[in-house]
Amino acid sequence: MAEMKSKLQDFYKRLDSRKSTYFLAYSVIFAILAIGVFSFYFFTGKTFIWEVDGWEQHYKSLIYYSQYLRDFFKNIFINRQFVIPQWDFAIGEGSDVIGTFHYYVIGDPFTFFCFLFPAKYMYIFYEAMILLRIYLSGIAFSLLCFYIGHKKRYVLPGAVAYAFCYWAIYNAVRHPFFLNPLLYYPLLVLGVEKIIREKKMWLFTITVAVAAMSNFYFFYMLVFTTIIYVIVRFIFCYGKNVKMWGKGILRLAVSSVTGLCMAAIVFLPVLHVFLSDSRFNTPNKMGLVYPFSYYAKLPGLFIVEGDNFWTCMGFAVPVLLAVLLMFKSRRKYTMLKTYFIISAVMICIPFFGQAMNGFSYMCNRWIYSFALLCAYILVCMMPRLIKLERKEIRFIGIALTIYFVVCMCVKYSRNGKLISAVAIGAILLIGLSIKNVNEYNRCMMVTVAVMVAALANGIWKNASFGENYAAQCISVKMAQEDVFGSEKELISKDAEDTDFIRYSGSGLSYNMNCITGISSSNLYWTLTNPYVSKFRYDCAIRLDTLLPHKYTGYDDRSSLIALSSASKYLVSKTGGLVPYGFTYESENDDYVMYNNDNALPLGFTYDKAVNKREWEGLSAVDKQKAMLQAVVIGRSGKDTREALPNRVSVKDLSYDSQIKDYTMDYDAKEVQCTDNTFAVTKAGARVTFNFTGSGAGETYFNINGLDYEGAAQFQLYFGKRKFDPLDLYSKADWKELSHNEKKKIFKNFIYWTQSTSSVKLGITTDTGVTKSMNYFTSDYSYYSNQHDFSVNMGYSEENVTSVTVTFQKIGVYSYDDIQIVCQPMDSYTDEINALKENVLTDVELGNNKVTGQITLDRNKYLCLTIPYSKGWKVYVDGERQKLYNANGQYMAVYLTSGTHNVTLKYSTPLLKEGALMSLAGVAIFAMQLVINNRKKRK
């Protein structure tokens, strides 16, 4: 034992003299912690693929990208063609490749070599790149500290604390590319330091370029966190020296612009998509303060695992000791203290979280920069931490005790993981207070404490006796066998017999179609086509998931399904409706497939057109009826001045929907209805709408102008009268409650245990059809500003006579109007057949190109069910024609009578401009390197 201890001391002494020794030590420690933190995945046969976004988005995008790259290289080296596929019909109903997948894989250097792995074993590459990201983040941190001049034995615990902070542990599984800023940010800071100290710009330029290409979302945050660092650094470095400020800013600006130009081939197209995305343009409520529970959790979250508005800190407890020691030191470490206070203020005020998140919802995903600061504070304080004086030991001990007591007094911080973290800190403090222990052993103490604390956070997060996060990931077996899903078994048989096929359905696996290569109305990607989002909003399609950009189809609406050119409909065997006009075709273990007897092809024709602005004034049910008779043309700018061929008014179209009179039944002790308002005082309260049905047809429950103001049970007794208009919960009733009941109700109120930012309504007919819809308030993270909903209760041959609405939460539900609408389907088939009178034939889908032929006996609009994008151009008989936005989300071209060859060509908006800028950026960067080398020689 003594000999081993001696060898460890000798090894530790060599850390400062050899970088290779340091990197070996870091690598060994990293391997130990990686095995320990993620061992629960290995032991239970789980992958690092989170069952929600990990499986539905990250993993499937990686598999798609691997095939995309293989096809790209095949075209170059075998087919001798340089072709960049820019559009794919298998991304939902069709979407831009770069705009969709940049957020996940395209541009990220860690995903490039995925083409070397088959889909069956892609999970190995996926996990390896996660660990590599974490490993390199610690390396980048170390390089920054080395450059500034810190001894390697002091850097080691800081590098480990940084690499295994909770942001890394959490996002390793949840969102792997969220780890990239942990690597890029220390390199950006190092680049700034090189510009300040040596006037060298190359590192900063390259890092800007790589970060901008990797992910636009985090690049936005990296820009602001770097600016904050630069301002603080310049204040303490240059003071009031305006000349030095000017030179420093100029060098940073030139370096930034050069790097951005180098990345423009990806950055510019993605910027275009991001700025047009529906989520970016939805107004979000600016929060003044976070909920009380947020502030109650903050103290404990500094050293233990946990997230709250993405405030993922969970730093190893030695970091806390270092921070306490830093603030104990007067007139020292002023810059670090300033930076720490700025970060703390930003954590406490929602405005900064929203600003860093593109002025969207409250979210502290910039916290990676705080992790760098705190780990760096540990490095800076190491020389003093290992040589503590009695006063400092007493101060840290008292501060740690107060911290522990405060956390124990707060409900959300009072847990076993905090007790274990503080215990590690206390043991370390005791160890550091022991005399006659040399400096190297003390450094080892701190490093071991960091390792144990990081390991504890990982265990509490992933273990079955902790949060059991590993259980939320898919198994190795599923990653190998279910990667293509059972949808492909049914759809691919039909897809082989036609150039184009599209399917819809219920209970489908999200984004599976991008792997099967078949177009589908199922879609779940972060950046979406704004025309598709707006169409769903205009049609008041219910939100049946907690994410408004998670599209599951068209709510079983026969008209919208047909108008989307979906010829197949898959219904999960766990439950789902079959829309009108679909007949059984086949099935497997998971799905039953139905054929659309009224399917429309990719291109069909209209005799008439209506203006979109006029169409938007119709009800949701009448909107789809109008689209069966006339194409809806959306125009803007100069186009609005031109006459629209074959235009008619929406009033000239026929509508046969029937709005039913109804009566309401409800328990007045649970819900009160007054002035278009339901005051719900009991969760699960119901209101039944009774009406006289119209026989066979679709039945819709329409609610317009919906709003919700949630309330906790405590507010029924002491809140506004509108929460309890009949005074069923008086103060006298409150006094009759037991002490424990009062305590529980008050805690639920003060800690905001039940979110009121979203609410679910259950809707059931007397024929047994049940659906649900979500409503999001302006406080919701993914607020969509949708207040009108039209819920299709399905087609029924039976007479539907009642609809029951179940309210999930207590509170006030207000609305402008509620309608029960019956839509007969008598004329539906004839209307579809009229659209199929002239269709696009000989359709071929090529790379960024669609061709077909059509013969008309009169002038008509050719509607193409390709999601509208400004990247598309249409050519008729070789001449370019105007391409209209049609039916909200699709495209149309006006054709004269006769036979025409129609060609559509796609080019990603701003891709060519971005490529030219990238060439210019690379040229400028090369010139800078040449000039710098010449200066060195002189």
Side-chain angles (χ1 to χ4, degrees), residues 33-42 48 131 134 164 169 172 462:
L33 284 179
I35 293 171
V37 168
F38 301 110
S39 59
F40 297 94
Y41 296 88
F42 308 136
F48 290 2
L131 295 176
I134 299 173
F164 286 93
I169 294 172
N462 298 316

Side-chain angles (χ1 to χ4, degrees), residues 314-573:
F315 308 127
V317 70
V319 171
L320 175 61
L321 304 187
V323 170
L324 293 173
L325 184 59
M326 178 184 71
F327 279 100
K328 171 69 170 63
S329 308
R330 295 182 180 180
R331 298 178 183 178
K332 293 182 180 180
Y333 313 109
T334 310
M335 191 181 86
L336 292 179
K337 290 176 183 176
T338 302
Y339 200 2
F340 188 92
I341 292 170
I342 290 172
S343 299
V345 170
M346 290 174 64
I347 289 172
C348 293
I349 300 176
F351 169 80
F352 295 103
Q354 288 185 276
M356 287 288 191
N357 200 35
F359 290 95
S360 183
Y361 54 92
M362 296 182 290
C363 177
N364 289 318
R365 286 176 175 166
W366 58 271
I367 205 71
Y368 61 83
S369 65
F370 190 51
L372 178 68
L373 170 64
C374 290
Y376 185 72
I377 289 173
L378 176 60
V379 174
C380 292
M381 301 311 298
M382 276 293 291
R384 292 191 57 187
L385 197 60
I386 61 176
K387 297 178 182 178
L388 291 173
E389 298 177 357
R390 286 187 178 181
K391 290 182 180 180
E392 293 171 332
I393 293 172
R394 190 184 306 116
F395 171 80
I396 295 175
I398 293 172
L400 189 62
T401 302
I402 294 172
Y403 172 82
F404 178 72
V405 171
V406 169
C407 290
M408 288 298 100
C409 291
V410 179
K411 175 185 176 182
Y412 287 102
S413 295
R414 188 168 57 245
N415 49 56
K417 52 191 176 184
L418 185 120
I419 294 173
S420 63
V422 172
I424 294 169
I427 292 170
L428 174 62
L429 188 62
I430 293 171
L432 293 174
S433 64
I434 298 174
K435 296 181 179 180
N436 300 323
V437 178
N438 65 44
E439 179 180 338
Y440 297 102
N441 285 337
R442 291 175 183 272
C443 286
M444 279 193 283
M445 282 185 195
V446 178
T447 304
V448 170
V450 169
M451 292 175 63
V452 174
L455 184 61
N457 277 336
I459 291 173
W460 282 112
K461 181 66 180 178
N462 298 316
S464 56
F465 55 81
E467 193 174 325
N468 200 16
Y469 200 45
Q472 298 180 32
C473 294
I474 68 166
S475 65
V476 172
K477 182 180 179 181
M478 184 175 176
Q480 290 180 323
E481 299 178 3
D482 295 348
V483 68
F484 290 105
S486 59
E487 297 172 22
K488 186 178 181 181
E489 297 176 19
L490 295 173
I491 297 295
S492 58
K493 296 176 183 178
D494 292 81
E496 294 172 359
D497 302 327
T498 180
D499 290 322
F500 176 79
I501 188 171
R502 179 174 289 157
Y503 69 99
S504 187
S506 60
L508 301 177
S509 180
Y510 285 102
N511 298 328
M512 188 62 72
N513 58 302
C514 78
I515 298 176
T516 60
I518 304 170
S519 186
S520 171
S521 59
N522 178 279
L523 177 72
Y524 174 36
W525 301 111
T526 292
L527 296 178
T528 56
N529 188 320
Y531 293 94
V532 175
S533 304
K534 182 62 165 58
F535 174 76
R536 300 178 71 86
Y537 175 89
D538 288 336
C539 291
I541 296 176
R542 69 187 175 103
L543 302 172
D544 58 347
T545 71
L546 291 175
L547 298 170
H549 54 285
K550 202 171 188 177
Y551 305 149
T552 56
Y554 294 103
D555 195 22
D556 310 312
R557 302 189 196 182
S558 302
S559 300
L560 296 186
I561 295 168
L563 289 167
S564 72
S565 297
S567 57
K568 306 295 176 182
Y569 200 83
L570 271 61
V571 178
S572 172
K573 286 192 173 180

Side-chain angles (χ1 to χ4, degrees), residues 730-932:
S730 64
K731 293 181 180 179
D733 295 324
W734 173 263
K735 293 179 180 179
E736 294 180 5
L737 297 176
S738 67
H739 174 72
N740 287 336
E741 287 177 316
K742 291 178 181 178
K743 184 178 179 181
K744 181 180 178 181
I745 292 171
F746 181 72
K747 277 190 173 182
N748 289 341
F749 167 66
I750 199 69
Y751 287 117
W752 199 28
T753 56
Q754 179 172 285
S755 172
T756 56
S757 61
S758 67
V759 66
K760 178 179 287 188
L761 302 183
I763 306 163
T764 306
T765 65
D766 58 324
T767 56
V769 175
T770 298
K771 287 193 174 182
S772 63
M773 55 161 276
N774 292 296
Y775 173 74
F776 307 136
T777 72
S778 58
D779 292 322
Y780 189 62
S781 295
Y782 302 100
Y783 175 59
S784 60
N785 199 28
Q786 183 171 345
H787 300 274
D788 298 342
F789 300 89
S790 183
V791 183
N792 177 27
M793 301 310 295
Y795 174 82
S796 176
E797 296 285 347
E798 301 178 47
N799 199 28
V800 181
T801 59
S802 71
V803 172
T804 299
V805 178
T806 303
F807 299 93
Q808 179 194 34
K809 299 176 181 178
I810 64 175
V812 176
Y813 299 76
S814 59
Y815 58 92
D816 295 333
D817 183 35
I818 289 179
Q819 295 178 340
I820 305 296
V821 181
C822 294
Q823 175 63 63
M825 306 300 289
D826 301 334
S827 61
Y828 173 70
T829 301
D830 291 338
E831 290 163 337
I832 292 293
N833 288 335
L835 299 179
K836 290 195 289 186
E837 181 184 2
N838 305 108
V839 299
L840 192 67
T841 59
D842 301 321
V843 175
E844 292 185 9
L845 307 181
N847 274 323
N848 313 318
K849 188 178 181 180
V850 177
T851 60
Q853 190 178 79
I854 190 169
T855 300
L856 303 172
D857 59 2
R858 59 191 183 278
N859 297 353
K860 279 189 168 187
Y861 285 93
L862 172 62
C863 180
L864 299 147
T865 52
I866 303 172
Y868 182 81
S869 169
K870 293 180 180 179
W872 282 105
K873 293 178 176 61
V874 63
Y875 299 86
V876 179
D877 301 326
E879 295 185 9
R880 185 176 173 183
Q881 300 294 328
K882 181 183 290 294
L883 192 63
Y884 293 100
N885 167 227
N887 289 349
Q889 61 179 339
Y890 298 126
M891 307 187 299
V893 58
Y894 186 69
L895 301 175
T896 58
S897 60
T899 299
H900 302 286
N901 292 312
V902 180
T903 301
L904 293 113
K905 296 180 180 179
Y906 183 79
S907 178
T908 298
L910 300 181
L911 179 63
K912 292 179 181 178
E913 295 84 346
L916 291 174
M917 288 183 64
S918 289
L919 288 173
V922 171
I924 292 170
F925 181 66
M927 288 173 60
Q928 289 175 350
L929 292 179
V930 171
I931 292 171
N932 288 336

Side-chain angles (χ1 to χ4, degrees), residues 163-224:
F164 286 93
C165 64
Y166 182 64
W167 177 265
I169 294 172
Y170 183 59
N171 285 302
V173 171
R174 199 171 190 90
H175 298 298
F177 67 87
F178 280 27
L179 298 172
N180 288 16
L182 278 179
L183 169 61
Y184 299 148
Y185 189 57
L187 293 178
L188 286 170
V189 173
L190 177 56
V192 171
E193 290 299 321
K194 280 183 172 290
I195 289 174
I196 291 174
R197 300 178 185 216
E198 301 179 60
K199 301 179 180 59
K200 292 181 178 179
M201 301 188 294
W202 66 269
L203 178 61
F204 190 80
T205 302
I206 291 175
T207 307
V208 167
V210 173
M213 288 188 70
S214 290
N215 185 275
F216 175 85
Y217 176 66
F218 274 106
F219 179 72
Y220 169 85
M221 278 181 269
L222 283 165
V223 168
F224 282 99

Side-chain angles (χ1 to χ4, degrees), residues 61-342:
S61 63
L62 187 65
I63 291 176
Y64 175 92
Y65 189 43
S66 67
Q67 187 59 51
Y68 180 87
L69 290 174
R70 280 193 286 269
D71 291 342
F72 176 74
F73 292 133
K74 180 181 178 181
N75 281 328
I76 291 178
F77 298 111
I78 297 177
N79 299 332
R80 304 297 182 183
Q81 296 177 338
F82 183 78
V83 178
I84 302 176
Q86 299 168 51
W87 181 274
D88 196 335
F89 282 94
I91 306 173
E93 294 184 3
S95 186
D96 185 88
V97 175
I98 296 176
T100 301
F101 290 111
H102 164 76
Y103 190 77
Y104 308 96
V105 288
I106 294 179
D108 186 345
F110 291 98
T111 62
F112 181 75
F113 291 100
C114 63
F115 68 90
L116 299 174
F117 288 73
K120 185 176 181 179
Y121 299 106
M122 188 61 69
Y123 72 94
I124 297 174
F125 176 80
Y126 184 86
E127 293 174 347
M129 291 303 101
I130 288 171
L131 295 176
L132 182 60
R133 286 179 174 103
I134 299 173
Y135 176 81
L136 291 180
S137 65
I139 295 294
F141 176 88
S142 301
L143 294 176
L144 171 62
C145 294
F146 295 164
Y147 182 78
I148 293 175
H150 293 285
K151 293 182 179 179
K152 296 178 183 63
R153 62 176 179 272
Y154 299 154
V155 174
L156 185 60
V160 175
Y162 181 66
F164 286 93
C165 64
Y166 182 64
W167 177 265
I169 294 172
Y170 183 59
N171 285 302
V173 171
R174 199 171 190 90
H175 298 298
F177 67 87
F178 280 27
L179 298 172
N180 288 16
L182 278 179
L183 169 61
Y184 299 148
Y185 189 57
L187 293 178
L188 286 170
V189 173
L190 177 56
V192 171
E193 290 299 321
K194 280 183 172 290
I195 289 174
I196 291 174
R197 300 178 185 216
E198 301 179 60
K199 301 179 180 59
K200 292 181 178 179
M201 301 188 294
W202 66 269
L203 178 61
F204 190 80
T205 302
I206 291 175
T207 307
V208 167
V210 173
M213 288 188 70
S214 290
N215 185 275
F216 175 85
Y217 176 66
F218 274 106
F219 179 72
Y220 169 85
M221 278 181 269
L222 283 165
V223 168
F224 282 99
T225 51
T226 304
I227 288 173
I228 292 171
Y229 174 79
V230 168
I231 292 173
V232 174
R233 184 73 173 89
F234 277 23
I235 288 173
F236 284 90
C237 182
Y238 299 141
K240 297 180 180 180
N241 192 328
V242 178
K243 184 178 180 180
M244 293 303 296
W245 271 78
K247 288 183 178 180
I249 292 172
L250 180 61
R251 291 189 184 99
L252 285 169
V254 170
S255 185
S256 299
V257 171
T258 304
L260 207 53
C261 285
M262 291 167 67
I265 189 170
V266 172
F267 183 80
L268 266 187
V270 173
L271 178 62
H272 173 266
V273 173
F274 187 84
L275 293 177
S276 61
D277 184 70
S278 58
R279 291 169 62 188
F280 180 79
N281 293 297
T282 301
N284 282 83
K285 183 179 178 181
M286 296 299 292
L288 297 177
V289 292
Y290 288 106
F292 179 77
S293 58
Y294 172 83
Y295 299 104
K297 292 177 183 179
L298 270 184
L301 290 181
F302 190 81
I303 59 171
V304 299
E305 65 89 11
D307 65 283
N308 195 11
F309 289 92
W310 281 92
T311 311
C312 303
M313 296 183 284
F315 308 127
V317 70
V319 171
L320 175 61
L321 304 187
V323 170
L324 293 173
L325 184 59
M326 178 184 71
F327 279 100
K328 171 69 170 63
S329 308
R330 295 182 180 180
R331 298 178 183 178
K332 293 182 180 180
Y333 313 109
T334 310
M335 191 181 86
L336 292 179
K337 290 176 183 176
T338 302
Y339 200 2
F340 188 92
I341 292 170
I342 290 172

